[in-house]
């Protein structure tokens, strides 16, 4: 149900490295990786392609805890509740040196802090102009706006390339 390929629960000092995940899905959260109540978890040097969470959050990775995602690539991802490749639910998370091909790259929840550094977030529908939002209300299902990062929590941005609004 959670973590289509890997579930890291109540874990400290775990490293997931040099993996290639393709066509992975979880019914609820974390189409590839579900990290809950975790501390000092690192995901690095990995590729995620075709990851889905049809009834939850985080098409590729769902994080509830303190984690680092470094030097990863994300292509063809989709999640029902947030559309995001990475959903940061809670904790302090660093996302660095990674590439995202598609809109809705990262969602940071109100209870989370994310340090987003030197990432490349591209899409086939680039839009950096806030006037694009117009006067319509945002709704993830019926009226989503293309974004690179959705922030409800606290974010620190440094040296990123974005094709869509933050």
């Amino acid at each position: 149900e959670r973590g289509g390929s890997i579930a890291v629960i109540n874990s400290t000092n775990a490293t997931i490295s040099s993996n290639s995940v393709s066509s992975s899905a979880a019914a609820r959260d974390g189409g590839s990786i579900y990290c809950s109540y975790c501390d000092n978890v690192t995901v690095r040097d990995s590729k995620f392609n075709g990851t889905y969470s049809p009834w939850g959050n985080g098409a590729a990775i769902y994080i509830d805890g303190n984690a680092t995602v470094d030097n990863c690539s994300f292509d063809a991802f989709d999640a029902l509740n947030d559309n995001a490749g990475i959903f940061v639910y809670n904790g302090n998370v660093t996302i660095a040196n990674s590439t995202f091909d598609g809109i809705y790259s990262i969602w940071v929840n109100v209870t989370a802090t994310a340090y987003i550094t030197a990432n490349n977030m591209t899409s086939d529908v680039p839009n950096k102009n806030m006037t694009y939002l117009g006067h319509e209300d945002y709704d993830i299902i019926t009226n989503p706006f293309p974004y690179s990062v959705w922030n409800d929590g606290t974010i620190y941005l440094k040296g990123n390339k974005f094709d869509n609004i933050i």
Side-chain angles (χ1 to χ4, degrees):
E1 181 165 293
R2 292 185 165 96
S5 297
I6 299 169
V8 181
I9 302 171
N10 294 323
S11 185
T12 302
N13 299 325
T15 299
I16 300 165
S17 180
S18 302
N19 292 285
S20 181
V21 180
S22 183
S23 301
S24 178
R28 298 290 302 165
D29 302 315
S32 293
I33 297 173
Y34 177 75
C35 176
S36 182
Y37 303 106
C38 55
D39 189 33
N40 196 29
V41 171
T42 300
V43 179
R44 70 171 171 239
D45 304 324
S46 296
K47 297 178 182 181
F48 301 89
N49 185 352
T51 57
Y52 304 97
S53 181
W55 299 107
N57 295 300
I61 301 174
Y62 176 101
I63 301 171
D64 174 9
N66 302 313
T68 299
V69 177
D70 185 44
N71 196 37
C72 293
S73 65
F74 301 86
D75 300 302
F77 46 85
D78 191 23
L80 174 69
N81 291 338
D82 57 20
N83 289 333
I86 298 176
F87 180 76
V88 182
Y89 174 73
N90 187 38
N92 291 300
V93 176
T94 298
I95 301 168
N97 307 307
S98 295
T99 60
F100 296 82
D101 184 10
I103 54 178
Y104 315 121
S105 300
I106 301 167
W107 184 300
V108 180
N109 192 43
V110 67
T111 56
T113 299
Y115 301 86
I116 303 170
T117 305
N119 298 287
N120 187 12
M121 301 177 200
T122 59
S123 76
D124 59 355
V125 288
N127 178 25
K128 298 178 187 175
N129 186 345
M130 288 298 291
T131 60
Y132 172 81
L133 298 179
H135 299 289
E136 298 179 40
D137 291 333
Y138 176 86
D139 183 287
I140 193 71
I141 305 297
T142 61
N143 191 32
F145 304 136
Y147 63 83
S148 290
V149 177
W150 184 276
N151 178 46
D152 283 331
T154 303
I155 61 171
Y156 297 92
L157 303 169
K158 181 178 180 184
N160 298 286
K161 178 186 176 218
F162 303 105
D163 273 359
N164 296 95
I165 60 175
I166 308 295

